[in-house]
Amino acid sequence: MKFTCSQQTLTKALNTVSKAVTSRTTLPILKGILMKASSDGTLTLSASDLDLSIEKKMDVNVEEEGEIVVLSKLFSDIIRKLPNEDILIEEKENNTVLIKTSYSEFTIVGLEADEFPNINDIEDDFATISFDTEIFKNMIRKTSFAASIDESKGIIVGVLMEIEPDGVNMVALDGFRMAVAREEMKNTENRKIVVSAKILNEVNKIISEAEDESDTKIMFSGKKAVIFAENTKIIIRLLEGEFIKYKDIIPTVNQTKVIIDRPALLESIERASLLAKEGKNNLIKLIIKNNLLTITSRSEEGNVIEELIMEKTGEDLEIGFNSKYVMDVLKAVDDEKLLMEFNTSTTPCLVKPIEGDQFEYLILPVRISSNY
């Protein structure tokens, strides 16, 4: 194998594929990146941790085709530190790799390409849908933060993608809050898949870095999903199991409804949370009375009171929340005004748009003592 390429182009490609490299493995080959130079002038970089695999293609000047695995961190660090000029990379004897520029020369040890896992082993029953890339990114942003980060929780570390003939829903929950994003689109498919939220966030970064603004194509089966973005292919192992029946959790009747300015509410809760962080559970209290929303928080360090004008229908209410859970929701959406629905001080709050059903958030309250 022997080829030359731009340092900047190779660095960018390595930054993409290295997102699939894991340091937590007993298999040395999974700490590496497979480089394959083809006679048509294409260099394919591949990396995998078996749950997430990334393949990136780039145009290079190939003198000799071939393939070898290089250790991701070492190789990437070297390439990143080299000057912005063309680099010669050549496979030498005994699986060594020469990296050469005008004034620098490295020789590093590689691994046999045959040991690298076959990430392109795709099943026959794949179905395909296409997303507008911006819509796909926004749906990930609106939901993935609500998935559990506790690996022992099983399938709720993932985001449910519910593909229906008239649209796509994405759902995440962790036992304390739930996020639902909906988008109308015509599909020929009717399936449900669950993707790790951690992996979806990496996918979001990759497609955000892509210069091609075309649609994002997703192929999926019972065990894998393949996402295509520009010259990058992302292969994801799906989570197995039955996702929680989220529609049963959403309340259909609410006694108190509040329409409020989202940016103003976010700023007020951010200020109140400065003291809430001193407590054990970021506790803030909302007092909904007449047309005034009062936000309070107290700790040994002091107390705070914030007041906001709102539109209210229904009963007055006092309810406590973990401030972080509320702020996460307010940061995830862009609407200037939101509808918040409540029942009692011990039942979840529902956050929705004023019109339509593009998103819904459920936030469980925190019990507050009578002297808080």
Side-chain angles (χ1 to χ4, degrees):
M1 181 187 72
K2 185 177 181 181
F3 65 89
T4 55
C5 66
S6 154
Q7 181 267 350
Q8 279 195 333
T9 305
L10 183 56
T11 297
K12 185 177 178 182
L14 287 169
N15 287 342
T16 297
V17 297
S18 63
K19 290 179 171 66
V21 178
T22 178
S23 57
R24 297 177 299 167
T25 179
T26 56
L27 300 173
I29 199 73
L30 295 184
K31 296 180 182 179
I33 292 174
L34 172 65
M35 295 193 300
K36 182 177 182 179
S38 304
S39 57
D40 64 356
T42 302
L43 175 69
T44 303
L45 302 176
S46 305
S48 177
D49 67 2
L50 302 182
D51 289 325
L52 170 66
S53 303
I54 301 173
E55 183 181 280
K56 177 82 173 178
K57 293 183 183 293
M58 54 183 285
D59 294 328
V60 299
N61 181 19
V62 177
E63 295 183 45
E64 296 176 16
E65 60 182 24
E67 56 184 344
I68 194 167
V69 176
V70 289
L71 289 177
S72 172
K73 187 176 187 312
L74 175 61
F75 185 74
S76 298
D77 285 348
I78 291 170
I79 300 300
R80 197 177 295 114
K81 295 291 186 182
L82 290 175
N84 180 18
E85 60 179 73
D86 283 349
I87 304 171
L88 169 69
I89 297 176
E90 183 178 3
E91 182 182 353
K92 294 290 192 178
E93 296 177 350
N94 300 320
N95 291 325
T96 57
V97 177
L98 172 69
I99 306 165
K100 188 175 181 180
T101 63
S102 301
Y103 302 102
S104 300
E105 185 174 313
F106 288 84
T107 302
I108 63 173
V109 177
L111 299 168
E112 288 281 356
D114 292 345
E115 298 177 21
F116 197 81
N118 179 12
I119 63 175
N120 286 306
D121 182 18
I122 295 177
E123 301 134 21
D124 296 330
D125 64 336
F126 266 77
T128 304
I129 62 170
S130 289
F131 267 101
D132 177 282
T133 298
E134 282 303 312
I135 288 174
F136 186 49
K137 286 160 51 179
N138 279 330
M139 291 186 79
I140 295 173
R141 179 174 63 87
K142 287 178 177 178
T143 55
S144 62
F145 70 88
S148 176
I149 58 173
D150 184 349
E151 295 292 334
S152 69
K153 296 285 187 178
I155 200 164
I156 63 171
V157 300
V159 177
L160 171 68
M161 289 182 63
E162 200 172 41
I163 297 104
E164 299 175 335
D166 58 352
V168 175
N169 308 321
M170 291 178 66
V171 185
L173 52 87
D174 66 0
F176 301 99
R177 68 265 182 91
M178 181 171 75
V180 182
R182 302 182 180 92
E183 192 65 38
E184 291 183 3
M185 54 190 288
K186 295 299 180 185
N187 299 306
T188 57
E189 301 300 327
N190 196 343
R191 297 200 192 189
K192 295 179 182 179
I193 60 174
V194 183
V195 182
S196 159
K198 183 180 177 182
I199 289 177
L200 264 186
N201 287 329
E202 294 297 339
V203 169
N204 202 358
K205 292 176 189 175
I206 293 168
I207 62 178
S208 296
E209 292 165 1
E211 296 174 1
D212 186 359
E213 296 182 357
S214 62
D215 287 355
T216 298
K217 187 172 76 170
I218 305 176
M219 296 172 60
F220 52 91
S221 71
K223 294 183 179 179
K224 289 183 181 178
V226 184
I227 299 173
F228 298 88
E230 205 172 30
N231 295 318
T232 305
K233 180 162 67 174
I234 307 160
I235 303 164
I236 302 165
R237 186 167 71 180
L238 301 176
L239 299 179
E240 297 182 16
E242 189 72 24
F243 201 80
I244 291 171
K245 294 180 179 178
Y246 73 94
K247 292 176 183 176
D248 296 343
I249 303 172
I250 301 173
T252 55
V253 178
N254 293 287
Q255 294 183 15
T256 304
K257 296 185 179 183
V258 168
I259 294 176
I260 196 156
D261 183 87
R262 180 193 62 83
L265 178 60
L266 175 58
E267 290 173 6
S268 292
I269 293 178
E270 283 178 332
R271 289 190 290 268
S273 71
L274 295 174
L275 284 172
K277 289 174 184 174
E278 301 299 327
K280 292 182 179 179
N281 54 11
N282 300 320
L283 178 63
I284 56 170
K285 182 167 75 170
L286 306 187
I287 303 169
I288 301 165
K289 189 171 183 179
N290 299 325
N291 286 322
L292 193 68
L293 173 66
T294 305
I295 303 163
T296 67
S297 181
R298 64 176 58 182
S299 70
E300 293 178 358
E301 307 294 327
N303 61 73
V304 59
I305 297 173
E306 292 273 341
E307 294 183 334
L308 288 171
I309 300 296
M310 63 180 179
E311 297 176 41
K312 188 205 76 171
T313 56
E315 304 295 322
D316 292 344
L317 181 69
E318 293 187 10
I319 188 168
F321 289 105
N322 181 318
S323 60
K324 179 183 183 304
Y325 292 165
V326 182
M327 288 191 293
D328 284 346
V329 168
L330 298 177
K331 290 175 182 177
V333 297
D334 303 315
D335 298 40
E336 286 298 310
K337 289 187 178 293
L338 293 175
L339 174 62
M340 303 178 74
E341 299 183 347
F342 306 86
N343 257 324
T344 69
S345 62
T346 58
T347 54
C349 163
L350 187 63
V351 181
K352 302 158 59 174
I354 302 296
E355 295 180 357
D357 65 347
Q358 278 200 310
F359 59 81
E360 278 185 307
Y361 295 96
L362 209 61
I363 311 169
L364 285 185
V366 177
R367 289 186 182 273
I368 48 177
S369 59
S370 57
N371 61 355
Y372 184 82

